[in-house]
Amino acid sequence: MKKFVASLGLFALSLSATGAYATPEPWQARFQAAATPIMEEIIWFEQYTLWFITPITLLVMALLAWCIYRYRASANPVPSRTSHNTLIEVLWTVGPVIVLLFLAVPSFQLLTSQYTPEEEPAMTIKATGVQWYWDFEYQDEENPLSFTSLLLQEGDRAAAGKENLEQYPRLLAVDNEVVVPVDTTVRVLVTASDVIHAFAMPPFGIKVDAVPGRINETWFKAEREGLYYGQCSELCGKDHAFMPIAIRVVSQDRFQTWYAAAQDDLEGANRALLAALENGGSEETVASAAE
């Protein structure tokens, strides 16, 4: 028993050092765990609607079964010719109106939240979909940063230090992750350079079309550190399945250190950040490793 408790403690320490990571699971039927307030609202709304959808579905199935059994030809050789019933007309008109009102109010509240950040975004990132990868640009007037994020090839895992398939899954891991600070409102400007793509990050509750010649806007505020995965969600060509999105959420200090190092050496900054997270190192460790 003591060994089991100790192993749990070591597991918890490893999670605290490396951070969580959200990936889809085989045969997953529900949403991924929420990392933002918007996704928490989406999960709540989905559970809320089930309280209406489930009894309505059961009622319709029961009525169909009753009609099939009660009014079958053998039991009811002379069909009813009733053409109007005031009570039934009122019930099937007023009932759906009431249900729709109960669904519409929280639905519009959620829609408003998705388009209205609670605070002015602290940073802006432009995401450009390309056949078949993503370009990212941190729109900082003083210290801009841009890079390409490509699907991590299997042969490059060792060099990138991303051999753990649980944390860096096949077809989801990338060479350069988007790094953002935790508890920070981030504006994302989404566009495309060739065909229509879609920027989707399920743990954040965002999905926006990337349309050539047009900029769509969304936002998120990640409340938990970790590595989160999304994908292009608009059929965009033969390699549509191979343009994942990876966003790493870190502390404010680690983000500032990574961002400063990435200005001169993005690969080194990524390697240093990864080493610091895996080893539980400090921000100074990130800076020294980047150098």
Side-chain angles (χ1 to χ4, degrees):
M1 183 64 182
K2 291 182 178 180
K3 291 183 178 180
F4 176 72
V5 174
S7 63
L8 286 180
L10 291 174
F11 178 71
L13 287 174
S14 65
L15 283 182
S16 63
T18 62
Y21 47 92
T23 59
E25 300 176 0
W27 301 99
Q28 184 173 2
R30 304 302 297 272
F31 290 120
Q32 294 183 33
T36 65
I38 290 296
M39 190 59 197
E40 290 176 354
E41 289 188 45
I42 293 174
I43 293 176
W44 175 87
F45 184 67
E46 184 257 353
Q47 296 171 344
Y48 172 78
T49 55
L50 285 178
W51 286 101
F52 296 90
I53 294 173
T54 302
I56 290 173
T57 302
L58 294 175
L59 174 62
V60 172
M61 291 177 62
L63 290 174
L64 286 173
W66 168 252
C67 290
I68 293 171
Y69 173 78
R70 174 63 181 80
Y71 299 105
R72 66 191 189 279
S74 59
N76 190 52
V78 182
S80 170
R81 296 184 179 275
T82 303
S83 61
H84 182 73
N85 184 297
T86 302
L87 178 61
I88 293 178
E89 293 280 355
V90 171
L91 288 177
W92 73 29
T93 300
V94 175
V97 169
I98 294 175
V99 171
L100 288 175
L101 284 174
F102 275 96
L103 294 177
V105 172
S107 175
F108 284 122
Q109 290 176 338
L110 174 58
L111 190 62
T112 301
S113 298
Q114 289 178 311
Y115 286 96
T116 311
E118 295 181 354
E119 59 188 11
E120 184 67 21
M123 60 186 300
T124 299
I125 299 176
K126 183 179 180 181
T128 304
V130 187
Q131 289 180 313
W132 289 270
Y133 55 88
W134 291 93
D135 283 334
F136 294 100
E137 177 186 347
Y138 289 73
Q139 298 197 329
D140 185 329
E141 294 183 359
E142 296 182 358
N143 299 297
L145 173 66
S146 61
F147 57 83
T148 296
S149 181
L150 298 169
L151 175 71
L152 182 66
Q153 302 300 316
E154 294 302 303
D156 297 333
R157 285 184 174 274
K162 298 179 178 180
E163 297 178 283
N164 185 343
L165 289 175
E166 291 186 1
Q167 190 170 2
Y168 303 101
R170 177 178 174 271
L171 302 184
L172 285 179
V174 301
D175 56 353
N176 297 317
E177 296 136 5
V178 177
V179 181
V180 298
V182 70
D183 292 325
T184 301
T185 301
V186 179
R187 178 193 289 114
V188 184
L189 305 179
V190 183
T191 187
S193 65
D194 37 44
V195 299
I196 298 178
H197 302 274
F199 186 91
M201 180 59 62
F204 294 175
I206 58 176
K207 180 180 179 181
V208 182
D209 280 343
V211 183
R214 176 176 178 178
I215 295 180
N216 290 326
E217 181 177 329
T218 187
W219 68 279
F220 65 85
K221 183 178 181 180
E223 295 182 325
R224 281 176 279 279
E225 295 184 35
L227 181 56
Y228 302 94
Y229 292 104
Q231 287 179 300
C232 173
S233 295
E234 184 76 36
L235 188 59
C236 57
K238 70 179 184 66
D239 286 340
H240 160 68
F242 307 108
M243 50 183 302
I245 305 165
I247 299 180
R248 187 183 292 276
V249 183
V250 298
S251 67
Q252 185 69 40
D253 291 338
R254 277 188 172 144
F255 169 76
Q256 294 294 346
T257 305
W258 170 85
Y259 194 81
Q263 299 292 317
D264 300 320
D265 182 7
L266 176 63
E267 184 178 350
N270 289 338
R271 189 166 52 248
L273 176 60
L274 182 60
L277 291 171
E278 290 181 346
N279 298 324
S282 64
E283 284 68 39
E284 289 75 10
T285 305
V286 179
S288 60
E291 294 173 358

